Amino acid sequence: MAESMKKKRSFDLSMELIVGATLLIVILLSALFAHQLFPDGVDKIDLLSRLTPPFAKPEHPLGSDPLGRDVLARVVAGGRISLLIGVTSVIGAVTLGVTIGLIAGFYRGITDMLMMRFVDIQLALPFILLAITFIAILGGSLINTIILLIVSQWVQYARLVRGQVLALRDREFILAARAIGVKDWRIIVQHLLPNLTGPVIVLMTLNVANNILLESSLTFLGMGVDPTIPTWGGMLAEGRSYLQTAWWVSVFPGLAIMLTVLGLNLLGDWMRDQLDPTGKTSL
Amino acid sequence: MNKFLKTTAAVAVMAIASMGMATSQSMAEGKLSVSVALDPGSWDPIDTFLVAWGAVGSNIFDGLTERDTNAKLHPGLATSWEVLDEGVRIRFKLREGVKFHNGEPFNAEAVKFTFDRLLGEIGAKGPQRANYTSVESVEIIDDYTVDFHLTQPDPVLLTKLAGYGAMIVPPKYITEKGEDYFNTHPVGTGPFSFVSYEPKVDLELKANPDYWGDVAKVSELEYRFISELTTAVAELQAGRLDIVEDLPISMLSVVKDDAKLDVVSTAGPTVYGLRFNTRDGITANKDVRKAIVMAVDRSTIIKSLLAGEAEEIASFQSSLSFGYDPELKPLPYNPEEAKKLLKAAGVAPGTEIQIDIRAGKPTFNEVVQAVGAYLQTVGLKAVIKPYENSVFLNDIVPQGKTGALFQQSWGGWTLDYDNTAYLLYHTGQKWNPYGTDAKLDAMLEEQRPMTDVAKREELLKNIAAYVADEALEMPLYGLKAIYGVNKRLEGFVPAPDNRVKLNTVSIKQ
């Protein structure tokens, strides 16, 4: 009985890996080679065939946007900036947030207090205010957009991780490690970090999607990228006013975001199970 | 006893109900619902410059003059006027027998009160006073005659008296009830009078049966504040709104396809274009500027992206504007000639050209992307840079930090080219970061104090031609004023400036 359950579980795991990884690899590769796949489709404006519905013309399989550009080509190419912004900003925020959360939670005391007050200050700043200040000082560019997203989001991870560490630091396995003289950094890396992956990965997958959309709202503040460069968030925003007349302009980039997040979720689930030390023994 | 009471009550209720029916039948019937994008917050004419106020205020208040939907001036609360003393004095004969909604009489006193208030301390707090500073004082000659003394001739003043800050307000009412009360309980002489106002929700008005002009054909008028146009259009489709102003191009087909609704449009005052940085880079060269204009097929942009709801322009004014010259034609679309000009000017293919725009304007954003694509065809590489609105309007443009091209849109209900040209082209003006053309300055200064209407128009036309010849900008289009209207309405006439007077509209049963 126990044997069969275990078998079934490992099968599920690999399905998650296969589907998740395939989705992401396909999206990533096609985004990278979009201009090779669609030699003249990504930026070509054709005002006379604007808003062609999907499946109507062979040259626009998923229809065309208000400027007559091919939706399929733009969705594929749009992954480039969107994934770059979504993934790098989350990785940056996780690195910063997890490090600070671990240190604050593990050492407590004055370090903890100072860091958490800083987190409080950061949380009290509304995102839009932060974004506008950022534009005023640094100006808008791709790198600045990523930095802004990191700066505005690391606190979530810091808070989450610190809470987890506080709950774990007095557990027996940590106390035991300390008792036998394991160094601090080893306790943190080997014993605490693996126990945090679950919640952090969940938060990460949610944030990637969120950041892809935030990029488009930043465009409204004049901070995003050149509107001629396709991004999923930008396409969604552009298509919003055509929702009733030309659904395909916004539905397909939305679908792309959904598939990316699904892929990331599946991969994240799989990774969590692999890294979670309790996962292997608890079932 | 009890039964008797009940019966009497029932009879009384029926009687009252039938009385109600009788009175409402004697008057015009029906309720008109109109959407307004913004709640101005105060209904005092001197507190705001919002178009939303103009749309509503024109139905509550009247000015001394009135402008029709073809931008022609007519008598309003003044029946006639005479321009005297070389343009520095205007004598108005006032309409007799007009009453404010609260019963107060309209007379010379009310006119003087209105302008003393506008030009005095209270007016100084609002944005409207700046428009009327040419008025020095108002003198009462008799009960129905006033003289306006001006500091200098102001050719646009008579138009400005037809709206906004110059709307006549009731002196006794404001003095008795106070300014704050007046803000939320407006009283004027217009075709509709105030019933109730719920901030951010709606403003209810009813027909004024004693209106001096055409008495309203509906009994009630409701303005609902709906900032999201998608919502407004959905409400229009559901029949809960009769008129939606400023319909976005992207939603035209939604309204057109609905059997119950109509799209009604007319030439509007707002023009859009891209202006050149005439100081730095390749666009300092006039031929390059002309080439850039010629590279862009503006009429195709209008036909496709704007669904034909715009007119091609040759100068920065709409066909309604005073100073508009139908003879002045825009530079033709000619990419071959453009390439030749660029080559002659030594502009290398692939040269980058930056276009600065305001972020968050979907329609113009699309137009600029199309412009960029056209520039690509003559070998220029367009880079579009969106800015946050206030950064763009307060820093990038006035400080002269733009790229080669930058967005300019210009409205203005006064529809006088002077209002545009002086602010866009005169040296040192906020909206003129680059130009320092002494000849243009002199032309702009010369027409300002002119009282000879025909001569001034000629001069304004010359200015427009000069600007077009210098290619100081790429005029793109003048957007029409577009309304979504329920077909059950009769007598709806679209106004170019959102100030639709609704007393002529009736509801088909």
Side-chain angles (χ1 to χ4, degrees), chain A residues 224-248:
Chain A
V225 291
D226 183 333
T228 43
I229 299 173
T231 68
W232 291 337
M235 292 174 74
L236 268 186
E238 255 176 41
R240 201 177 64 112
S241 50
Y242 291 93
L243 213 51
Q244 271 174 289
T245 46
W247 53 270
W248 56 91

PDB file of all heavy atoms in Angstrom, chain A residues 224-248:
ATOM      1  N   GLY A 224       7.613  52.746 -18.514  1.00  0.00           N
ATOM      2  CA  GLY A 224       7.808  51.474 -19.192  1.00  0.00           C
ATOM      3  C   GLY A 224       8.696  51.632 -20.415  1.00  0.00           C
ATOM      4  O   GLY A 224       9.366  52.635 -20.600  1.00  0.00           O
ATOM      5  N   VAL A 225       8.651  50.635 -21.276  1.00  0.00           N
ATOM      6  CA  VAL A 225       9.507  50.638 -22.455  1.00  0.00           C
ATOM      7  C   VAL A 225       8.782  51.300 -23.621  1.00  0.00           C
ATOM      8  O   VAL A 225       7.595  51.585 -23.556  1.00  0.00           O
ATOM      9  CB  VAL A 225       9.896  49.197 -22.813  1.00  0.00           C
ATOM     10  CG1 VAL A 225      10.823  48.648 -21.756  1.00  0.00           C
ATOM     11  CG2 VAL A 225       8.677  48.324 -22.942  1.00  0.00           C
ATOM     12  N   ASP A 226       9.528  51.553 -24.699  1.00  0.00           N
ATOM     13  CA  ASP A 226       8.986  52.099 -25.940  1.00  0.00           C
ATOM     14  C   ASP A 226       7.744  51.304 -26.363  1.00  0.00           C
ATOM     15  O   ASP A 226       7.799  50.079 -26.465  1.00  0.00           O
ATOM     16  CB  ASP A 226      10.095  51.965 -27.003  1.00  0.00           C
ATOM     17  CG  ASP A 226       9.700  52.573 -28.332  1.00  0.00           C
ATOM     18  OD1 ASP A 226       8.494  52.622 -28.627  1.00  0.00           O
ATOM     19  OD2 ASP A 226      10.604  52.993 -29.075  1.00  0.00           O
ATOM     20  N   PRO A 227       6.608  51.993 -26.607  1.00  0.00           N
ATOM     21  CA  PRO A 227       5.376  51.255 -26.913  1.00  0.00           C
ATOM     22  C   PRO A 227       5.445  50.409 -28.187  1.00  0.00           C
ATOM     23  O   PRO A 227       4.617  49.515 -28.363  1.00  0.00           O
ATOM     24  CB  PRO A 227       4.315  52.341 -27.043  1.00  0.00           C
ATOM     25  CG  PRO A 227       5.055  53.620 -27.148  1.00  0.00           C
ATOM     26  CD  PRO A 227       6.373  53.417 -26.494  1.00  0.00           C
ATOM     27  N   THR A 228       6.415  50.677 -29.050  1.00  0.00           N
ATOM     28  CA  THR A 228       6.485  49.849 -30.253  1.00  0.00           C
ATOM     29  C   THR A 228       7.086  48.473 -29.955  1.00  0.00           C
ATOM     30  O   THR A 228       6.889  47.535 -30.712  1.00  0.00           O
ATOM     31  CB  THR A 228       7.341  50.523 -31.347  1.00  0.00           C
ATOM     32  OG1 THR A 228       8.500  51.070 -30.727  1.00  0.00           O
ATOM     33  CG2 THR A 228       6.580  51.608 -32.046  1.00  0.00           C
ATOM     34  N   ILE A 229       7.829  48.359 -28.848  1.00  0.00           N
ATOM     35  CA  ILE A 229       8.378  47.061 -28.469  1.00  0.00           C
ATOM     36  C   ILE A 229       7.267  46.259 -27.796  1.00  0.00           C
ATOM     37  O   ILE A 229       6.680  46.721 -26.823  1.00  0.00           O
ATOM     38  CB  ILE A 229       9.557  47.229 -27.488  1.00  0.00           C
ATOM     39  CG1 ILE A 229      10.669  48.026 -28.167  1.00  0.00           C
ATOM     40  CG2 ILE A 229      10.065  45.884 -27.003  1.00  0.00           C
ATOM     41  CD1 ILE A 229      11.796  48.402 -27.238  1.00  0.00           C
ATOM     42  N   PRO A 230       6.955  45.069 -28.333  1.00  0.00           N
ATOM     43  CA  PRO A 230       5.824  44.347 -27.767  1.00  0.00           C
ATOM     44  C   PRO A 230       6.133  43.781 -26.377  1.00  0.00           C
ATOM     45  O   PRO A 230       7.214  43.231 -26.150  1.00  0.00           O
ATOM     46  CB  PRO A 230       5.600  43.219 -28.774  1.00  0.00           C
ATOM     47  CG  PRO A 230       6.890  43.048 -29.480  1.00  0.00           C
ATOM     48  CD  PRO A 230       7.575  44.371 -29.465  1.00  0.00           C
ATOM     49  N   THR A 231       5.199  43.958 -25.455  1.00  0.00           N
ATOM     50  CA  THR A 231       5.260  43.266 -24.169  1.00  0.00           C
ATOM     51  C   THR A 231       3.845  42.785 -23.878  1.00  0.00           C
ATOM     52  O   THR A 231       2.878  43.397 -24.319  1.00  0.00           O
ATOM     53  CB  THR A 231       5.704  44.192 -23.021  1.00  0.00           C
ATOM     54  OG1 THR A 231       4.675  45.158 -22.787  1.00  0.00           O
ATOM     55  CG2 THR A 231       6.999  44.908 -23.331  1.00  0.00           C
ATOM     56  N   TRP A 232       3.734  41.703 -23.128  1.00  0.00           N
ATOM     57  CA  TRP A 232       2.398  41.157 -22.858  1.00  0.00           C
ATOM     58  C   TRP A 232       1.525  42.145 -22.098  1.00  0.00           C
ATOM     59  O   TRP A 232       0.369  42.361 -22.426  1.00  0.00           O
ATOM     60  CB  TRP A 232       2.516  39.850 -22.073  1.00  0.00           C
ATOM     61  CG  TRP A 232       3.092  38.734 -22.881  1.00  0.00           C
ATOM     62  CD1 TRP A 232       3.090  38.631 -24.242  1.00  0.00           C
ATOM     63  CD2 TRP A 232       3.762  37.573 -22.382  1.00  0.00           C
ATOM     64  NE1 TRP A 232       3.724  37.480 -24.616  1.00  0.00           N
ATOM     65  CE2 TRP A 232       4.140  36.801 -23.504  1.00  0.00           C
ATOM     66  CE3 TRP A 232       4.076  37.108 -21.107  1.00  0.00           C
ATOM     67  CZ2 TRP A 232       4.810  35.594 -23.377  1.00  0.00           C
ATOM     68  CZ3 TRP A 232       4.736  35.905 -20.979  1.00  0.00           C
ATOM     69  CH2 TRP A 232       5.109  35.158 -22.110  1.00  0.00           C
ATOM     70  N   GLY A 233       2.132  42.745 -21.080  1.00  0.00           N
ATOM     71  CA  GLY A 233       1.373  43.713 -20.286  1.00  0.00           C
ATOM     72  C   GLY A 233       0.920  44.884 -21.154  1.00  0.00           C
ATOM     73  O   GLY A 233      -0.223  45.319 -21.095  1.00  0.00           O
ATOM     74  N   GLY A 234       1.839  45.373 -21.995  1.00  0.00           N
ATOM     75  CA  GLY A 234       1.510  46.492 -22.870  1.00  0.00           C
ATOM     76  C   GLY A 234       0.397  46.136 -23.843  1.00  0.00           C
ATOM     77  O   GLY A 234      -0.502  46.928 -24.103  1.00  0.00           O
ATOM     78  N   MET A 235       0.448  44.905 -24.371  1.00  0.00           N
ATOM     79  CA  MET A 235      -0.585  44.480 -25.323  1.00  0.00           C
ATOM     80  C   MET A 235      -1.940  44.372 -24.634  1.00  0.00           C
ATOM     81  O   MET A 235      -2.969  44.747 -25.194  1.00  0.00           O
ATOM     82  CB  MET A 235      -0.212  43.131 -25.938  1.00  0.00           C
ATOM     83  CG  MET A 235       1.008  43.210 -26.839  1.00  0.00           C
ATOM     84  SD  MET A 235       1.522  41.587 -27.415  1.00  0.00           S
ATOM     85  CE  MET A 235       0.262  41.248 -28.624  1.00  0.00           C
ATOM     86  N   LEU A 236      -1.920  43.867 -23.403  1.00  0.00           N
ATOM     87  CA  LEU A 236      -3.172  43.785 -22.635  1.00  0.00           C
ATOM     88  C   LEU A 236      -3.768  45.177 -22.461  1.00  0.00           C
ATOM     89  O   LEU A 236      -4.963  45.391 -22.669  1.00  0.00           O
ATOM     90  CB  LEU A 236      -2.892  43.204 -21.247  1.00  0.00           C
ATOM     91  CG  LEU A 236      -3.018  41.717 -21.043  1.00  0.00           C
ATOM     92  CD1 LEU A 236      -2.840  41.383 -19.569  1.00  0.00           C
ATOM     93  CD2 LEU A 236      -4.408  41.254 -21.482  1.00  0.00           C
ATOM     94  N   ALA A 237      -2.900  46.119 -22.075  1.00  0.00           N
ATOM     95  CA  ALA A 237      -3.380  47.476 -21.830  1.00  0.00           C
ATOM     96  C   ALA A 237      -3.908  48.096 -23.127  1.00  0.00           C
ATOM     97  O   ALA A 237      -4.946  48.744 -23.144  1.00  0.00           O
ATOM     98  CB  ALA A 237      -2.250  48.323 -21.259  1.00  0.00           C
ATOM     99  N   GLU A 238      -3.193  47.871 -24.230  1.00  0.00           N
ATOM    100  CA  GLU A 238      -3.618  48.408 -25.519  1.00  0.00           C
ATOM    101  C   GLU A 238      -4.968  47.843 -25.936  1.00  0.00           C
ATOM    102  O   GLU A 238      -5.803  48.531 -26.505  1.00  0.00           O
ATOM    103  CB  GLU A 238      -2.607  48.024 -26.594  1.00  0.00           C
ATOM    104  CG  GLU A 238      -1.704  49.146 -27.042  1.00  0.00           C
ATOM    105  CD  GLU A 238      -0.673  48.648 -28.034  1.00  0.00           C
ATOM    106  OE1 GLU A 238      -1.034  47.834 -28.923  1.00  0.00           O
ATOM    107  OE2 GLU A 238       0.472  49.044 -27.909  1.00  0.00           O
ATOM    108  N   GLY A 239      -5.157  46.553 -25.641  1.00  0.00           N
ATOM    109  CA  GLY A 239      -6.371  45.892 -26.095  1.00  0.00           C
ATOM    110  C   GLY A 239      -7.576  46.177 -25.224  1.00  0.00           C
ATOM    111  O   GLY A 239      -8.707  45.868 -25.598  1.00  0.00           O
ATOM    112  N   ARG A 240      -7.327  46.789 -24.071  1.00  0.00           N
ATOM    113  CA  ARG A 240      -8.418  46.974 -23.117  1.00  0.00           C
ATOM    114  C   ARG A 240      -9.587  47.739 -23.731  1.00  0.00           C
ATOM    115  O   ARG A 240     -10.745  47.367 -23.570  1.00  0.00           O
ATOM    116  CB  ARG A 240      -7.902  47.718 -21.889  1.00  0.00           C
ATOM    117  CG  ARG A 240      -8.740  47.534 -20.659  1.00  0.00           C
ATOM    118  CD  ARG A 240      -8.084  48.257 -19.507  1.00  0.00           C
ATOM    119  NE  ARG A 240      -8.053  49.683 -19.758  1.00  0.00           N
ATOM    120  CZ  ARG A 240      -8.764  50.562 -19.064  1.00  0.00           C
ATOM    121  NH1 ARG A 240      -9.516  50.163 -18.085  1.00  0.00           N
ATOM    122  NH2 ARG A 240      -8.699  51.840 -19.343  1.00  0.00           N
ATOM    123  N   SER A 241      -9.260  48.815 -24.473  1.00  0.00           N
ATOM    124  CA  SER A 241     -10.358  49.618 -25.008  1.00  0.00           C
ATOM    125  C   SER A 241     -11.038  48.934 -26.200  1.00  0.00           C
ATOM    126  O   SER A 241     -12.067  49.395 -26.666  1.00  0.00           O
ATOM    127  CB  SER A 241      -9.856  51.006 -25.394  1.00  0.00           C
ATOM    128  OG  SER A 241      -8.711  50.907 -26.193  1.00  0.00           O
ATOM    129  N   TYR A 242     -10.433  47.832 -26.686  1.00  0.00           N
ATOM    130  CA  TYR A 242     -11.053  47.119 -27.809  1.00  0.00           C
ATOM    131  C   TYR A 242     -11.725  45.833 -27.353  1.00  0.00           C
ATOM    132  O   TYR A 242     -12.109  45.014 -28.173  1.00  0.00           O
ATOM    133  CB  TYR A 242      -9.999  46.775 -28.866  1.00  0.00           C
ATOM    134  CG  TYR A 242      -9.464  47.991 -29.584  1.00  0.00           C
ATOM    135  CD1 TYR A 242      -8.329  48.627 -29.145  1.00  0.00           C
ATOM    136  CD2 TYR A 242     -10.137  48.505 -30.691  1.00  0.00           C
ATOM    137  CE1 TYR A 242      -7.848  49.758 -29.786  1.00  0.00           C
ATOM    138  CE2 TYR A 242      -9.658  49.625 -31.332  1.00  0.00           C
ATOM    139  CZ  TYR A 242      -8.515  50.245 -30.887  1.00  0.00           C
ATOM    140  OH  TYR A 242      -8.058  51.357 -31.529  1.00  0.00           O
ATOM    141  N   LEU A 243     -11.839  45.655 -26.031  1.00  0.00           N
ATOM    142  CA  LEU A 243     -12.314  44.387 -25.495  1.00  0.00           C
ATOM    143  C   LEU A 243     -13.655  43.976 -26.099  1.00  0.00           C
ATOM    144  O   LEU A 243     -13.878  42.812 -26.415  1.00  0.00           O
ATOM    145  CB  LEU A 243     -12.425  44.498 -23.969  1.00  0.00           C
ATOM    146  CG  LEU A 243     -12.136  43.229 -23.185  1.00  0.00           C
ATOM    147  CD1 LEU A 243     -10.813  42.625 -23.606  1.00  0.00           C
ATOM    148  CD2 LEU A 243     -12.120  43.536 -21.711  1.00  0.00           C
ATOM    149  N   GLN A 244     -14.535  44.949 -26.297  1.00  0.00           N
ATOM    150  CA  GLN A 244     -15.862  44.604 -26.800  1.00  0.00           C
ATOM    151  C   GLN A 244     -15.881  44.356 -28.301  1.00  0.00           C
ATOM    152  O   GLN A 244     -16.740  43.663 -28.803  1.00  0.00           O
ATOM    153  CB  GLN A 244     -16.852  45.720 -26.471  1.00  0.00           C
ATOM    154  CG  GLN A 244     -17.495  45.529 -25.113  1.00  0.00           C
ATOM    155  CD  GLN A 244     -18.348  46.715 -24.756  1.00  0.00           C
ATOM    156  OE1 GLN A 244     -17.840  47.796 -24.477  1.00  0.00           O
ATOM    157  NE2 GLN A 244     -19.647  46.536 -24.767  1.00  0.00           N
ATOM    158  N   THR A 245     -14.934  44.978 -29.014  1.00  0.00           N
ATOM    159  CA  THR A 245     -14.966  44.855 -30.468  1.00  0.00           C
ATOM    160  C   THR A 245     -13.919  43.895 -31.006  1.00  0.00           C
ATOM    161  O   THR A 245     -14.130  43.296 -32.040  1.00  0.00           O
ATOM    162  CB  THR A 245     -14.744  46.229 -31.130  1.00  0.00           C
ATOM    163  OG1 THR A 245     -13.647  46.859 -30.476  1.00  0.00           O
ATOM    164  CG2 THR A 245     -15.966  47.086 -31.021  1.00  0.00           C
ATOM    165  N   ALA A 246     -12.787  43.777 -30.338  1.00  0.00           N
ATOM    166  CA  ALA A 246     -11.714  42.926 -30.849  1.00  0.00           C
ATOM    167  C   ALA A 246     -11.040  42.213 -29.672  1.00  0.00           C
ATOM    168  O   ALA A 246      -9.971  42.602 -29.234  1.00  0.00           O
ATOM    169  CB  ALA A 246     -10.699  43.768 -31.634  1.00  0.00           C
ATOM    170  N   TRP A 247     -11.685  41.186 -29.196  1.00  0.00           N
ATOM    171  CA  TRP A 247     -11.216  40.485 -27.991  1.00  0.00           C
ATOM    172  C   TRP A 247      -9.819  39.909 -28.154  1.00  0.00           C
ATOM    173  O   TRP A 247      -9.061  39.805 -27.222  1.00  0.00           O
ATOM    174  CB  TRP A 247     -12.195  39.382 -27.608  1.00  0.00           C
ATOM    175  CG  TRP A 247     -12.494  38.429 -28.745  1.00  0.00           C
ATOM    176  CD1 TRP A 247     -13.490  38.550 -29.661  1.00  0.00           C
ATOM    177  CD2 TRP A 247     -11.775  37.237 -29.091  1.00  0.00           C
ATOM    178  NE1 TRP A 247     -13.444  37.526 -30.561  1.00  0.00           N
ATOM    179  CE2 TRP A 247     -12.399  36.705 -30.235  1.00  0.00           C
ATOM    180  CE3 TRP A 247     -10.662  36.583 -28.559  1.00  0.00           C
ATOM    181  CZ2 TRP A 247     -11.953  35.542 -30.858  1.00  0.00           C
ATOM    182  CZ3 TRP A 247     -10.218  35.414 -29.172  1.00  0.00           C
ATOM    183  CH2 TRP A 247     -10.860  34.913 -30.313  1.00  0.00           C
ATOM    184  N   TRP A 248      -9.472  39.520 -29.411  1.00  0.00           N
ATOM    185  CA  TRP A 248      -8.212  38.810 -29.611  1.00  0.00           C
ATOM    186  C   TRP A 248      -6.984  39.665 -29.300  1.00  0.00           C
ATOM    187  O   TRP A 248      -5.935  39.137 -29.003  1.00  0.00           O
ATOM    188  CB  TRP A 248      -8.138  38.260 -31.026  1.00  0.00           C
ATOM    189  CG  TRP A 248      -8.316  39.314 -32.092  1.00  0.00           C
ATOM    190  CD1 TRP A 248      -7.320  40.025 -32.685  1.00  0.00           C
ATOM    191  CD2 TRP A 248      -9.529  39.789 -32.670  1.00  0.00           C
ATOM    192  NE1 TRP A 248      -7.835  40.904 -33.595  1.00  0.00           N
ATOM    193  CE2 TRP A 248      -9.199  40.778 -33.611  1.00  0.00           C
ATOM    194  CE3 TRP A 248     -10.877  39.474 -32.483  1.00  0.00           C
ATOM    195  CZ2 TRP A 248     -10.162  41.458 -34.353  1.00  0.00           C
ATOM    196  CZ3 TRP A 248     -11.830  40.150 -33.226  1.00  0.00           C
ATOM    197  CH2 TRP A 248     -11.470  41.127 -34.145  1.00  0.00           C
TER     198      TRP A 248
END
